[in-house]
Amino acid sequence: EQKAYIKHFVNSNITSPIAPFVMAHNMTIFTFEEADTLTEKMLKALPTHKYTNTLRKSLEKQRPLHEAMMRVQPGRMAPDFKLPNINGDTITLSDSKGKIVLLDFWASWCKPCRQNNETLVEAYNKFSDLNLEIVSVSVDKDEAKWKEAVKEDKLPGVLLIDKEGEVARTYCVETIPCCYLIDSEGKIQSKDVGGRNIFADIEAMLKKTQEGK
């Protein structure tokens, strides 16, 4: 009720300096699109006011991240990339096109990731014969520790390392483990499936794929 009241208040008082003041202190309840639209309206009404200009500067700082996140939303084509695998060969995501891909970001030092690796092994054993490929992207900087963890966890699939974190940034990975489920056409279907409902998500996609044949 409080959130609804604040949104209604801001929308109803666009021409008042109180509106940008209230919005600036409650930014988390507005989507980026909502905040962007409201700020544009406020700038027309109060173009030189310090509160509206503070909002404008705040949104401009957030815009690059927002635009990057929009590029990896479900329904968008998964951005291609190339990284070295565990043998030092260069591998691209598009090499797995035609398969359902579980793209997993992790690291050897991340305990939840190591626990999630057990789930990935189960998923691979259960679904690899049904056109599933697991592409694991480590954000480790220490290659030796990465290889040791891969061996310890008996991690299957395509094993890649992203030492500079460039691919992780492209996919807006803020916490790990972070997974994307990508269909056989290379389109993102869901994010953060790891550790939540990984089997149900994969089974639903496989069922959809079979029904489409």
Side-chain angles (χ1 to χ4, degrees):
E1 289 178 356
Q2 185 182 42
K3 290 177 181 178
Y5 177 84
I6 291 170
K7 284 190 173 184
H8 177 73
F9 178 87
V10 172
N11 276 280
S12 301
N13 294 276
I14 293 294
T15 59
S16 168
I18 298 175
F21 177 83
V22 170
M23 193 168 97
H25 286 77
N26 294 276
M27 286 294 281
T28 56
I29 72 172
F30 295 89
T31 66
F32 182 88
E33 288 82 2
E34 288 174 334
D36 200 23
T37 299
L38 287 167
T39 299
E40 284 299 314
K41 291 179 180 178
M42 292 173 188
L43 283 167
K44 288 179 181 178
L46 303 162
T48 61
H49 200 283
K50 64 178 181 179
Y51 292 156
T52 51
N53 278 285
T54 296
L55 277 179
R56 177 183 58 78
K57 290 176 183 177
S58 175
L59 285 169
E60 287 310 308
K61 286 182 180 179
Q62 296 175 37
R63 195 176 302 280
L65 177 59
H66 172 74
E67 291 175 349
M69 291 179 69
M70 289 299 101
R71 288 192 286 271
V72 290
Q73 289 298 302
R76 302 294 295 269
M77 293 299 294
D80 200 8
F81 58 81
K82 56 183 179 181
L83 287 171
N85 69 3
I86 203 157
N87 298 317
D89 300 318
T90 299
I91 304 296
T92 66
L93 178 64
S94 55
D95 289 338
S96 298
K97 193 170 182 180
K99 292 188 175 184
I100 292 171
V101 174
L102 183 64
L103 176 61
D104 176 61
F105 291 89
W106 71 292
S108 64
W109 44 262
C110 167
K111 288 185 179 180
C113 298
R114 303 297 294 273
Q115 292 171 348
N116 189 56
N117 282 350
E118 297 177 11
T119 305
L120 295 183
V121 172
E122 288 181 45
Y124 188 83
N125 292 337
K126 186 174 182 179
F127 301 114
S128 61
D129 291 338
L130 299 174
N131 206 36
L132 175 74
E133 183 65 276
I134 294 179
V135 177
S136 294
V137 177
S138 168
V139 295
D140 277 280
K141 295 188 181 297
D142 188 322
E143 195 168 325
K145 289 184 178 179
W146 164 57
K147 289 182 177 180
E148 184 181 348
V150 167
K151 186 176 180 180
E152 286 179 0
D153 296 353
K154 298 178 181 177
L155 201 58
V158 180
L159 307 169
L160 308 175
I161 187 165
D162 181 23
K163 286 184 180 180
E164 303 303 321
E166 184 177 341
V167 176
R169 285 190 292 273
T170 297
Y171 278 83
C172 298
V173 175
E174 297 178 324
T175 58
I176 51 175
C178 175
C179 295
Y180 283 86
L181 191 58
I182 302 167
D183 68 18
S184 58
E185 295 179 354
K187 191 177 292 184
I188 296 170
Q189 294 299 312
S190 60
K191 180 182 179 181
D192 286 330
V193 294
R196 292 194 295 111
N197 208 12
I198 186 171
F199 292 101
D201 281 344
I202 294 170
E203 284 175 338
M205 184 174 290
L206 287 169
K207 182 179 179 182
K208 184 178 178 181
T209 301
Q210 291 299 319
E211 289 174 349
K213 290 183 178 179

